[in-house]
Amino acid sequence: MSSKPHLSEMIIIGHPIELDCPSPKTSFAVVFEDDGKTGYFYGLDLEDKKQPILDSLHIYDVKDILDPNVSVQIDIIWSDDGLKSRLEINGFPHAVFDFESRKAYCRTNYPRPNRRFTNSHKWSDEALDLFK
């Protein structure tokens, strides 16, 4: 499976930004958002017009970043089948949505998962195997 970024953007942590990245093959999409206080990664089903957000994954709190005024590289990667997405910051994986298996993984294991999508946000390096 592909590891090529579908979206690649330099950002400054703590400066509000929203990066939308739809799946290249399905109705799923992901959004990375820094609202100035926190960074989140959202999984969406664009066919659900009433409530497209399936789940959200906490990535960071700006107050916990040692130097929030440094630029970082945000990459969003989709698997070839368009059913799995990974968020990387400076090449390091922070979160994965597996829409096919209805699983979500993030390093902070926060917030509580949306039970209509998944039962856990607990990180597992096995999530990275989805992109091999």
Side-chain angles (χ1 to χ4, degrees):
M1 289 194 184
S2 175
S3 291
K4 180 182 170 194
H6 285 78
L7 182 147
S8 193
E9 186 87 25
M10 292 295 291
I11 71 159
I12 298 175
I13 292 176
H15 291 228
I17 192 165
E18 184 177 296
L19 303 173
D20 302 334
C21 190
S23 167
K25 294 187 176 176
T26 69
S27 66
F28 297 112
V30 291
V31 175
F32 171 77
E33 179 186 37
D34 182 326
D35 65 5
K37 295 182 181 184
T38 59
Y40 268 87
F41 194 47
Y42 300 95
L44 294 84
D45 181 350
L46 299 178
E47 285 185 351
D48 187 342
K49 302 298 182 199
K50 188 173 181 181
Q51 177 52 17
I53 297 173
L54 296 171
D55 208 352
S56 60
L57 301 172
H58 176 263
I59 306 303
Y60 58 75
D61 288 317
V62 172
K63 67 179 180 55
D64 295 333
I65 305 296
L66 294 176
D67 189 356
N69 291 313
V70 172
S71 294
V72 297
Q73 180 75 36
I74 299 290
D75 290 314
I76 296 176
I77 295 140
W78 280 97
S79 60
D80 288 340
D81 62 8
L83 293 170
K84 295 129 191 123
S85 184
R86 177 173 81 226
L87 172 74
E88 293 184 356
I89 301 176
N90 290 339
F92 185 77
H94 283 265
V96 171
F97 275 106
D98 178 352
F99 295 99
E100 182 176 36
S101 298
R102 301 182 67 80
K103 294 184 179 181
Y105 308 86
C106 68
R107 300 230 179 234
T108 64
N109 193 24
Y110 183 80
R112 288 184 182 200
N114 180 342
R115 298 281 184 195
R116 79 176 202 167
F117 181 71
T118 190
N119 292 324
S120 174
H121 288 162
K122 185 176 180 183
W123 180 257
S124 172
D125 285 337
E126 292 176 8
L128 301 177
D129 292 341
L130 299 169
F131 298 87
K132 290 183 179 177

